[in-house]
């Protein structure tokens, strides 16, 4: 048996033992009691393997010596004149090597093989030779198939010797066939147990891999959910705070000369603030454990809210021209939210960075099958984002667009201003 094969067998046995230790059968009381006793025996064997092997080997040694000392061997022997010293030597030769049957099963067979040949040639035919069944079982359980075949041939050879040496009494078929079948059944038993151990080890390994994959999927889902919440928070807070800031700046300038305009600005600030608080409450309600309530209060602005968005930006002091082509009825809900957020982010960026003289134009084209094309341009200062700090706005727009296999282009215009172009294709039908 190679070191690699021994390591695989040991690892497989360990995995099976760990799995069985956690398994509680849901069977009859007798089945559960047997399982508990069996697990205790296996646990004792794992804790003290040498002690267990010594106890088992001692049992076989005592049984073999009783067979010789009581004269029981005479009932099956072909040679009652076999010397006593030879009987004792063969009895110990069959039983003592079993102490190493698990670590070195094939070596144990090589040690007992000469004893088996002498046993067959002398005609003693000690019943201790049946311990070859135990050796062959351990070989089938722990070694390769080629080693098992050679081992079976070695165990059958002494039978051929006995059948040839004493043909008149029992004949070749009586000496060889029954014992050879017993040896074959022992080998098959070892193969069956080994197959079961390897199968259980594969189940344990698969279960552990599934647990790892489940944890990884949970971590990925949590990360995706955090990113989604971050996008929503950025869109809600960033846009509304930009509108509030613009309104507050305009109101402060108009307070001294035109109190009516300042009052209108304050009213618009209050309306925008309440709208922001409402959307934030809805977003936070999604995180609650009550899934039914969260589903009802989930923040899902759509393209029907586009006019309200544009009016709010206009009230903040940014002139916005809109061009709408086609009906929005065929656009899926998820696509509507993406388009709304992209337009909202583009207008918010214009409010933040466009300057006091900036204007904006929003062009939306609804195409057949639910496809949408959006172009948002402005006449602000434009220019690339600050180096090393692109912000979450552009990143969020790209992430939303990628969810629906769309394309997004955002960058400065050649002369002045900024352009955002979005295209979301129609949903593929299966």
């Amino acid at each position: 048996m190679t070191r690699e094969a021994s390591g695989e067998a040991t690892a497989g046995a360990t995995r099976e033992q760990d799995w069985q230790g956690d398994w509680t059968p849901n069977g009859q009381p007798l089945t559960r009691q047997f399982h508990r006793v069996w697990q205790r025996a296996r646990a004792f064997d794992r804790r003290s393997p040498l002690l267990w092997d010594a106890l088992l080997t001692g049992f076989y040694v005592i049984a073999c010596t009783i067979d010789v000392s009581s004269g029981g061997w005479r009932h099956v022997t072909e040679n009652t004149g076999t010397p006593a010293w030879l009987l004792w030597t063969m009895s110990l030769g069959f039983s003592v090597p079993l102490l190493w049957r698990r670590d070195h099963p094939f070596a144990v067979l090589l040690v007992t093989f000469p004893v088996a040949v002498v046993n067959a040639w002398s005609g003693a035919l000690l019943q201790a030779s049946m311990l070859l069944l135990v050796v062959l079982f351990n070989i089938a359980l722990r070694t390769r198939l080629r080693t098992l075949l050679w081992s079976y041939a070695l165990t059958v050879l002494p039978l051929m010797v006995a059948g040839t040496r004493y043909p008149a009494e029992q004949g070749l078929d009586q000496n060889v066939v029954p014992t050879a079948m017993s040896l074959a059944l022992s080998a098959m038993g070892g193969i069956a147990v080994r197959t079961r151990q390897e199968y259980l080890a594969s189940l344990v390994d698969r279960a552990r891999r599934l647990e790892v994959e489940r944890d990884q999927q949970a971590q990925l889902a949590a990360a995706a959910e955090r990113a989604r919440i971050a996008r929503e928070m950025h869109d809600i807070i960033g846009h509304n705070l930009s509108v509030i800031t613009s309104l507050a700046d305009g109101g402060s300038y108009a307070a001294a000369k035109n109190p009516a305009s300042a009052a209108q600005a304050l009213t618009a600030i209050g309306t925008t603030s309440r709208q922001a608080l409402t959307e934030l409450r809805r977003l936070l309600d999604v995180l609650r454990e009550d899934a039914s309530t969260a589903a009802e209060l989930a923040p899902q602005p759509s393209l029907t809210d586009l006019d309200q968005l544009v009016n709010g930006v206009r009230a903040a002091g940014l002139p916005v021209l809109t061009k709408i082509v086609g009906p929005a009825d065929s656009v899926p809900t998820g696509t509507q939210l993406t388009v709304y957020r992209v337009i909202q982010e583009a207008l918010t960026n214009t409010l933040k960075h466009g300057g006091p003289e900036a204007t904006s134009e929003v062009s939306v084209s609804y195409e057949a099958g639910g496809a949408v094309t959006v172009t948002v341009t402005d006449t602000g200062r434009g220019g690339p984002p600050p180096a090393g700090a692109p912000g979450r706005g552009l990143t969020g727009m790209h992430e939303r667009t990628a969810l629906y296999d769309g394309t997004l282009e955002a960058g400065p215009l050649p002369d002045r201003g900024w352009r955002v172009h979005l295209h979301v294709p129609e949903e593929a039908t299966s």
Side-chain angles (χ1 to χ4, degrees):
M1 181 178 184
T2 63
R3 180 176 300 178
E4 291 79 2
S6 176
E8 292 176 0
T10 303
T14 302
R15 287 194 296 268
E16 178 199 356
Q17 291 158 2
D18 294 340
W19 183 84
Q20 288 185 346
D22 297 334
W23 177 65
T24 302
N26 297 320
Q28 297 297 324
L30 181 60
T31 304
R32 293 196 297 269
Q33 182 65 27
F34 175 78
H35 177 75
R36 284 193 291 268
V37 173
W38 176 251
Q39 289 305 311
R40 292 192 187 100
R42 290 179 65 89
F44 174 75
D45 184 28
R46 291 194 295 270
R47 290 193 303 268
S48 306
L50 182 60
L51 178 60
W52 181 262
D53 290 342
L55 290 174
L56 190 63
T57 303
F59 170 79
Y60 285 129
V61 169
I62 293 173
C64 292
T65 55
I66 290 177
D67 181 56
V68 173
S69 61
S70 64
W73 63 279
R74 297 179 181 275
H75 298 288
V76 295
T77 185
E78 297 288 348
N79 181 12
T80 56
T82 305
W85 66 269
L86 182 60
L87 295 175
W88 286 103
T89 301
M90 289 190 296
S91 296
L92 296 177
F94 279 122
S95 57
V96 172
L98 293 180
L99 184 63
W100 299 277
R101 74 190 187 283
R102 288 199 284 192
D103 295 333
H104 308 284
F106 188 67
V108 171
L109 178 63
L110 294 180
V111 171
T112 55
F113 173 72
V115 180
V117 173
V118 173
N119 179 54
W121 183 264
S122 65
L125 302 182
L126 294 178
Q127 298 184 68
S129 62
M130 300 304 295
L131 293 178
L132 291 175
L133 295 171
V134 179
V135 177
L136 194 62
F137 176 86
N138 282 270
I139 291 175
L141 185 62
R142 295 177 170 86
T143 62
R144 297 176 299 178
L145 179 60
R146 180 182 300 179
T147 304
L148 175 62
L149 294 177
W150 279 106
S151 301
Y152 183 76
L154 290 177
T155 55
V156 172
L157 184 59
L159 304 179
M160 303 294 295
V161 172
T164 304
R165 177 81 169 163
Y166 303 99
E169 286 77 3
Q170 293 182 342
L172 186 63
D173 56 339
Q174 293 296 324
N175 281 336
V176 176
V177 176
T179 308
M181 292 182 62
S182 299
L183 291 170
L185 290 176
S186 178
M188 292 175 62
I191 294 174
V193 173
R194 179 174 182 172
T195 302
R196 175 180 174 273
Q197 290 179 350
E198 293 177 350
Y199 176 69
L200 291 180
S202 67
L203 291 181
V204 172
D205 185 63
R206 180 185 178 190
R208 290 178 177 173
R209 288 200 307 268
L210 290 176
E211 289 179 358
V212 172
E213 292 176 3
R214 180 197 63 192
D215 295 340
Q216 291 176 344
Q217 291 295 331
Q219 293 174 0
L220 292 175
E225 183 65 13
R226 286 195 298 268
R228 185 190 72 82
I229 294 173
R231 289 196 302 265
E232 294 290 343
M233 294 287 287
H234 174 272
D235 292 338
I236 294 172
I237 296 177
H239 170 73
N240 288 287
L241 285 182
S242 297
V243 172
I244 291 172
T245 301
S246 299
L247 290 172
D249 290 342
S252 63
Y253 288 125
K257 298 180 179 181
N258 190 351
S261 297
Q264 292 176 358
L266 291 175
T267 302
I269 288 174
T271 302
T272 304
S273 300
R274 284 190 292 272
Q275 179 183 354
L277 287 174
T278 301
E279 292 192 28
L280 282 176
R281 289 193 186 100
R282 289 177 177 175
L283 177 62
L284 296 177
D285 283 336
V286 175
L287 306 179
R288 298 195 311 182
E289 295 182 358
D290 190 350
S292 61
T293 305
E296 295 174 359
L297 300 179
Q300 295 290 332
S302 63
L303 293 176
T304 58
D305 302 314
L306 195 58
D307 291 338
Q308 182 180 356
L309 171 66
V310 172
N311 291 333
V313 174
R314 287 170 179 165
L318 175 64
V320 181
L321 176 64
T322 59
K323 295 181 180 179
I324 309 296
V325 179
D329 300 338
S330 61
V331 181
T333 303
T335 304
Q336 290 192 31
L337 176 61
T338 298
V339 172
Y340 179 91
R341 292 302 190 195
V342 169
I343 295 174
Q344 183 186 52
E345 180 62 28
L347 294 177
T348 301
N349 289 338
T350 303
L351 278 173
K352 289 181 178 179
H353 312 296
E357 303 298 330
T359 62
S360 182
E361 180 179 337
V362 178
S363 175
V364 183
S365 175
Y366 303 114
E367 303 170 9
V372 182
T373 301
V374 175
T375 303
V376 181
T377 58
D378 63 58
T379 59
R381 288 190 295 265
R392 296 194 57 88
L394 291 177
T395 303
M397 287 194 292
H398 282 288
E399 290 175 350
R400 290 182 182 277
T401 305
L403 290 176
Y404 296 93
D405 297 326
T407 57
L408 179 73
E409 300 174 1
L413 294 173
D415 297 331
R416 180 182 177 85
W418 190 270
R419 175 179 179 270
V420 175
H421 180 75
L422 167 70
H423 177 72
V424 180
E426 61 179 294
E427 290 187 347
T429 57
S430 57

